[in-house]
Amino acid sequence: MSTRTRAPRTTSARPTAAADPQDATSTVHGWNALVREDPPHPPPLPATVPKTVDEDDPRVRYHARLGLVETTDIRKGLLTARRLLRLNGERRHPCPHVAIDSDCRGTGKRTLLHHIGLGYQGRLEQLHGIDDSIIPVLCLNTPPDPRAPADWSAAMATFLGWDLYRTDAEGRPVLRMKDFTGPALHMMRSSRTRLCLIDGIDRLPTEDLQPTFDFFDYLADELSLTIFWSGIGSSDILREARTARIPALRRTGEATASLRPRAVPTLWVNRLPPRSGEHPDEWVSAVATLSAKVHLIHHEPKALLQYEEALYLITDGLMEHLAPLVAMAAQLAILDRTESLTPDVLRDAAAYLDLPAGEDTAGLW
């Protein structure tokens, strides 16, 4: 079979991801909808290959929502997070700050962060029923404003669904108040918020790190919050911030020489290792799980395993690359009417996503 990568199709024929224009986690209403959303189920499989198919075909849209799979690190992280949340619920030995770290981008840190929140709120609603006056989880993104210190109070107010701006006499938007901390704190206390998820802490400028940690340390004490911080280097960032807040640890004296920096529990989500004697199952399991989700007429549940070496070379073991590659290839297979994840279809999908699938993978298909 030819190993040449086919030229990408025209823009009009390229399948698009079924995505909301608004991030589903950016407001409490969107977050609650995500918590209560049923997982996507594959539509009925046609008996024969349809003569025509378009971008709105239910199976095309289904494959656009395949999502990531739970890797070994994510499963371990979810288990550890549940234990830490249970421990903090007892308030005997609280660990209010937890880092989610990795060795590179695209490993699934945000997936783990959101799954922790979804699982926590989901269990509460199963036990006690749905009550929209309760906001157990606060989900925030690091404010990316380089011109001023990060306004975390505004980020909290945005998640809570408040309108931050009013219109002045000349019709221009003006902030309703300079600091939303007081009202947000009152809202979270009355809503029994216990878990805060913060994504992208590595985007924060160095000068904002200590004020940010002090701010959330205050919230943790006031609300009995457990805070999960996600980002590359988050464990080192938190460890240094906690040490800087203890003057005794900054002094070099005989009395304090035995003190160590404060510990930060860390959930590691690294890229998947290639198949080897030491790691025989991790990559294979991820590929097999995605392969089983594919819903094509001529696709066998474990068909992708025959290409697992090539897929690792193309994706570098990153779920950020593997999941979109399989999802795009499945959409193309439906639109092409091939209904199978062949090497040509996989290379075509890789070309769309700008992933390497050229001559260096030729011998692996």
Side-chain angles (χ1 to χ4, degrees):
M1 182 174 292
S2 171
T3 59
R4 181 176 58 86
T5 301
R6 292 184 287 173
R9 296 169 176 77
T10 61
T11 304
S12 60
R14 178 176 178 169
T16 56
D20 238 322
Q22 179 179 348
D23 179 7
T25 65
S26 62
T27 68
V28 66
H29 302 294
W31 174 263
N32 285 342
L34 189 62
V35 171
R36 298 157 194 170
E37 180 185 41
D38 291 328
H41 295 288
L45 201 63
T48 59
V49 178
K51 292 184 178 180
T52 60
V53 65
D54 59 31
E55 299 285 346
D56 292 325
D57 183 276
R59 287 193 300 133
V60 173
R61 300 179 65 183
Y62 161 78
H63 287 100
R65 300 180 59 205
L66 276 186
L68 305 184
V69 301
E70 287 189 4
T71 64
T72 301
D73 283 348
I74 290 177
R75 285 192 293 271
K76 289 179 180 177
L78 287 171
L79 178 60
T80 303
R82 283 197 294 270
R83 291 170 176 170
L84 288 171
L85 286 166
R86 190 181 304 120
L87 177 68
N88 289 350
E90 298 290 338
R91 305 309 298 167
R92 292 177 185 143
H93 303 285
C95 303
H97 301 282
V98 184
I100 299 178
D101 208 340
S102 69
D103 56 358
C104 62
R105 298 191 185 279
T107 57
K109 294 185 296 300
R110 181 179 301 172
T111 298
L112 174 57
L113 184 76
H114 288 174
H115 276 30
I116 290 170
L118 296 174
Y120 177 75
Q121 183 167 333
R123 286 191 296 276
L124 288 180
E125 293 186 350
Q126 281 185 338
L127 289 172
H128 308 294
I130 294 176
D131 183 351
D132 283 332
S133 68
I134 306 300
I135 306 176
V137 178
L138 192 71
C139 185
L140 307 176
N141 286 319
T142 300
D145 187 356
R147 298 165 297 174
D151 190 348
W152 288 102
S153 70
M156 292 189 300
T158 298
F159 180 82
L160 294 172
W162 298 349
D163 186 358
L164 274 58
Y165 295 89
R166 59 177 175 81
T167 303
D168 65 9
E170 298 179 2
R172 296 172 300 187
V174 179
L175 272 174
R176 294 183 182 275
M177 60 182 71
K178 291 184 178 180
D179 188 352
F180 293 87
T181 301
L185 181 62
H186 173 75
M187 178 75 171
M188 289 187 289
R189 182 180 285 116
S190 62
S191 301
R192 288 179 269 177
T193 304
R194 291 293 180 268
L195 175 60
C196 182
L197 312 174
I198 301 178
D199 189 30
I201 191 62
D202 52 327
R203 296 197 301 265
L204 206 61
T206 303
E207 59 272 18
D208 276 358
L209 292 174
Q210 195 60 53
T212 290
F213 183 82
D214 291 343
F215 178 76
F216 282 98
D217 213 22
Y218 165 74
L219 291 183
D221 290 339
E222 287 289 319
L223 301 171
S224 297
L225 278 182
T226 301
I227 305 171
F228 286 82
W229 309 75
S230 174
I232 292 180
S234 58
S235 57
D236 289 336
I237 291 170
L238 293 180
R239 192 173 293 108
E240 291 173 9
R242 301 197 76 187
T243 301
R245 295 189 70 249
I246 308 173
L249 293 182
R250 296 201 302 265
R251 293 197 300 265
T252 55
E254 188 173 327
T256 61
S258 61
L259 292 177
R260 294 178 298 176
R262 303 265 314 260
V264 176
T266 303
L267 311 180
W268 289 96
V269 189
N270 292 321
R271 67 174 180 170
L272 291 165
R275 187 175 189 176
S276 64
E278 186 178 358
H279 302 281
D281 301 322
E282 292 178 61
W283 175 249
V284 174
S285 175
V287 174
T289 301
L290 273 175
S291 184
K293 290 185 175 184
V294 174
H295 203 56
L296 302 174
I297 295 175
H298 302 311
H299 178 77
E300 296 295 329
K302 296 184 178 181
L304 278 180
L305 288 178
Q306 60 185 315
Y307 310 130
E308 51 107 352
E309 288 187 55
L311 291 174
Y312 193 90
L313 185 61
I314 293 171
T315 64
D316 205 23
L318 297 175
M319 287 304 304
E320 182 185 54
H321 293 160
L322 177 64
L325 175 64
V326 175
M328 178 67 77
Q331 294 176 72
L332 293 177
I334 296 171
L335 295 170
D336 280 353
R337 301 176 63 242
T338 56
E339 293 287 343
S340 178
L341 297 185
T342 64
D344 282 344
V345 169
L346 289 166
R347 280 194 292 267
D348 203 11
Y352 277 133
L353 300 172
D354 196 29
L355 295 174
E359 296 300 325
D360 53 344
T361 67
L364 299 177
W365 298 102

